[in-house]
Amino acid sequence: MQRILNYINGEYLEPVSRGYLEGYNPALGSVYSEVPDSDERDVELAVKAAEEAFEQWSNFTQEQRSDILLRIAQGLEARMEEFALAETNDQGKPLWLSRAMDIPRAVSNLKFYANAALNLNGEFHKTDNHIFNYTLRSPIGVVGCISPWNLPLYLFTWKITPALAMGNCVIAKPSEITPMTASMLGEVCSAAGLPKGVLNIIHGLGTKVGSAITAHAKIKAISFTGGTKTGAEISRIAAPMFKKMSLELGGKNPNIIFSDCDFEKTVKISAAAAFTNQGEICLCGSRIFVQETIYEKFKISFIEEVKKRTVSDPLIQSSKLGAIASKQHFEKILSYIELAKQEGGKILLGGEAVKLEGRCVDGWFIAPTIIEGLPYDCRVNQEEIFGPVVTLVPFTTEAEVLMMANSTPYGLACTIFTENLSKAHRVAAKIESGIVWINCWLERDLRTPFGGVKQSGVGREGGFEALKFFTEEKNVCVKI
Ligand code: NDP
């Protein structure tokens, strides 16, 4: 049994309650770790440590802070294999994916923001020959970062790094479902020379630790990634306290396939966009709209392509889909498959849990599932499932597909497949979404703004946006 501890003031500490939650390996369906059941008392200790550390950290030069972040990146890179295995055991994703995506991306996040912070320019406005304005940016102080379980270290570092780079001290809460790699990161930070109290990692339930972070008067900004309902709850508490908030929330992303697409590429990319990480990426394309003239052809090829995506023990190299991160989420996904049947959907592939043999016999696995015959406005096509379940919906015209694609309360990401560039740009402009990919999916340039519209979020991460979020601006006007 691995016992996880909180990381406060540079030390690993038991939670004040001395209570622990059960941490599961989802591929085995069994408990393998103890996760601190922390509460507002642990958050209080962390805030005290962060406040004390702020004076020193915020007075470091930008280069000193960036050097430390780069050393953390190097420390993480040196332990890549260990972190990848820990991520897979905690989250259920294939090990090769942790190696190829999650941990390398965490390293990239650290390197990117360490460098970007050095290149963040100040602003200057000349009003006339006698008056000019310059804008100062200073760190906010103590900030809160709350992250989800689907891309644990990837999203944890995506939040904490810009905050640290700009001189803030952080109280961070990873999901209690996948706390392992964030916990291990504390060791890397200490070894890299991050001063005590600059980063504090508190584990536990969202309803105890997350809400204590949200409600703490001395935590002046909240950067949150997670579900839309949780985002609304955080806003309810933080908005009247006038905290800065960045909210990256759920999605129900359309994948729009026109008849003039590059067919073979579109089939392959659509399968990846649907089922990578068991469909547990907020950017996965789960509503696949196919122009009716190629609908049947696409359906047959897509099913054949998805059949190649085997569900297996995540430690096996050929595994394409690993385990679902928690039993609760596993049951939620299965309940949506049942709902799809009730709503008149036809299961074309999958549609059930997968029982593996050997060490994974009790794990939580679901076959990649393709459903057709559902109206665009039924619950299955409107609500976020966040698992290996997609629907196929035919369309005839551009106007019709735009109406259906824009019909959900979400607006995070969209994929468009067509060889007609004018059409691609026209649809991209009209789609209600923060991120659009044309003829590709999940191509990420960390300099670009990242986030959603409607109920998919408020604010943007990525690039200089995230760095600016973690600062207060002050305009100084000078008359000569
Ligand atoms: P949740 O909203 O359930 O949880 C996210 C984090 O918030 C967890 O650390 C959770 O803790 C914590 N939390 C829960 N309740 C509260 C509360 N009342 N106050 C403060 N914090 C709280 O999301 P999931 O972890 O289930 O993640 C899946 C969701 O995240 C999906 O909707 C997905 O679309 C979205 N997501 C969005 C992304 C984006 O960039 N837009 C990227 C990735 C995911 P605990 O786990 O302990 O409950």
Side-chain angles (χ1 to χ4, degrees):
M1 194 67 66
Q2 283 176 256
R3 177 170 278 198
I4 291 171
L5 297 171
N6 289 329
Y7 179 71
I8 300 176
N9 207 21
E11 286 178 47
Y12 281 95
L13 300 179
E14 291 214 57
V16 177
S17 70
R18 297 288 188 269
Y20 288 85
L21 305 162
E22 291 178 327
Y24 284 84
N25 178 332
L28 308 184
S30 59
V31 177
Y32 85 111
S33 69
E34 294 176 315
V35 183
D37 185 9
S38 313
D39 56 35
E40 73 281 357
R41 292 170 292 177
D42 304 278
V43 172
E44 192 58 49
L45 289 176
V47 171
K48 280 211 172 74
E51 275 193 301
E52 277 167 30
F54 181 67
E55 174 70 20
Q56 182 196 13
W57 183 243
S58 59
N59 280 305
F60 271 24
T61 63
Q62 191 57 60
E63 202 171 345
Q64 284 173 317
R65 284 198 294 265
S66 290
D67 280 351
I68 290 176
L69 293 175
L70 290 173
R71 283 206 295 274
I72 297 172
Q74 282 161 5
L76 186 53
E77 232 166 357
R79 291 175 62 182
M80 179 76 74
E81 187 57 26
E82 194 191 334
F83 270 80
L85 184 59
E87 199 71 297
T88 286
N89 287 337
D90 222 24
Q91 205 275 342
K93 68 183 70 209
L95 178 56
W96 65 263
L97 189 63
S98 296
R99 281 185 189 133
M101 179 177 76
D102 291 74
I103 312 304
R105 172 58 193 272
V107 171
S108 299
N109 290 339
L110 284 149
K111 287 183 179 169
F112 174 77
Y113 282 118
N115 290 315
L118 288 169
N119 291 291
L120 181 64
N121 291 327
E123 281 145 48
F124 169 83
H125 298 94
K126 185 177 168 191
T127 308
D128 60 30
N129 282 340
H130 306 285
I131 298 177
F132 66 91
N133 295 268
Y134 63 91
T135 309
L136 294 173
R137 284 187 184 279
S138 48
I140 298 171
V142 181
V143 301
C145 295
I146 303 174
S147 53
W149 49 257
N150 62 325
L151 301 168
L153 194 68
Y154 173 137
L155 289 175
F156 185 81
T157 49
W158 183 236
K159 298 203 156 300
I160 63 165
T161 312
L164 295 173
M166 296 315 292
N168 300 280
C169 292
V170 175
I171 315 296
K173 192 199 100 59
S175 170
E176 128 269 342
I177 295 166
T178 53
M180 189 60 80
T181 48
S183 163
M184 291 161 63
L185 189 71
E187 296 161 19
V188 179
C189 290
S190 295
L194 188 73
K196 290 177 177 188
V198 170
L199 171 65
N200 304 275
I201 306 169
I202 313 291
H203 302 280
L205 295 171
T207 45
K208 282 190 192 176
V209 180
S211 54
I213 291 173
T214 308
H216 201 293
K218 290 185 173 160
I219 298 179
K220 297 185 190 130
I222 304 288
S223 174
F224 169 78
T225 298
T228 295
K229 245 173 107 177
T230 316
E233 173 62 11
I234 288 174
S235 303
R236 193 183 64 75
I237 296 168
M241 299 173 82
F242 304 106
K243 294 191 184 201
K244 274 188 114 173
M245 270 186 287
S246 168
L247 305 173
E248 297 295 337
L249 309 176
K252 186 76 179 173
N253 309 311
N255 174 358
I256 302 174
I257 299 171
F258 287 100
S259 57
D260 57 2
C261 65
D262 178 331
F263 189 79
E264 303 301 328
K265 264 195 209 157
T266 301
V267 170
K268 282 198 163 49
I269 299 172
S270 297
F275 298 113
T276 300
N277 207 47
Q278 304 75 242
E280 295 166 336
I281 300 183
C282 54
L283 305 166
C284 280
S286 56
R287 294 180 295 148
I288 306 180
F289 296 101
V290 188
Q291 200 150 26
E292 111 189 302
T293 45
I294 60 160
Y295 182 84
E296 287 304 319
K297 182 181 169 201
F298 178 86
K299 182 168 97 180
I300 293 163
S301 300
F302 187 63
I303 291 171
E304 286 313 305
E305 183 64 32
V306 175
K307 275 186 186 163
K308 294 182 203 157
R309 300 195 155 244
T310 46
V311 177
S312 60
D313 182 339
L315 297 186
I316 295 174
Q317 184 63 22
S318 60
S319 168
K320 288 286 184 289
L321 278 84
I324 302 300
S326 70
K327 184 147 192 280
Q328 193 191 9
H329 193 54
F330 168 80
E331 284 165 359
K332 177 188 153 185
I333 296 167
L334 291 177
S335 77
Y336 270 102
I337 295 173
E338 279 314 303
L339 177 64
K341 291 179 196 162
Q342 286 163 24
E343 290 187 319
K346 180 176 168 202
I347 310 287
L348 298 174
L349 188 73
E352 63 206 354
V354 175
K355 192 91 179 152
L356 295 180
E357 288 176 357
R359 73 174 202 120
C360 295
V361 69
D362 294 321
W364 307 313
F365 296 88
I366 295 180
T369 297
I370 307 171
I371 304 170
E372 73 169 352
L374 288 170
Y376 77 91
D377 56 354
C378 70
R379 279 186 58 200
V380 168
N381 270 329
Q382 293 287 312
E383 297 174 15
E384 185 182 41
I385 302 174
F386 209 51
V389 179
V390 297
T391 60
L392 299 183
V393 181
F395 71 90
T396 46
T397 64
E398 209 177 297
E400 185 195 13
V401 77
L402 273 167
M403 181 279 292
M404 295 194 290
N406 287 337
S407 67
T408 76
Y410 297 107
L412 186 57
C414 170
T415 349
I416 300 166
F417 291 96
T418 173
E419 292 296 292
N420 178 334
L421 268 185
S422 303
K423 181 160 58 185
H425 291 305
R426 201 163 57 230
V427 175
K430 288 188 183 154
I431 202 85
E432 292 166 1
S433 161
I435 300 154
V436 179
W437 279 291
I438 297 172
N439 297 329
C440 60
W441 176 73
L442 208 61
E443 298 291 343
R444 289 282 294 119
D445 181 327
L446 303 189
R447 293 170 299 182
T448 59
F450 179 94
V453 301
K454 301 199 284 189
Q455 293 186 18
S456 286
V458 177
R460 291 293 179 272
E461 295 187 339
F464 292 131
E465 303 289 327
L467 294 172
K468 288 178 182 172
F469 171 77
F470 286 110
T471 62
E472 291 289 6
E473 284 173 284
K474 183 187 288 171
N475 190 67
V476 181
C477 179
V478 185
K479 186 165 188 175
I480 304 166

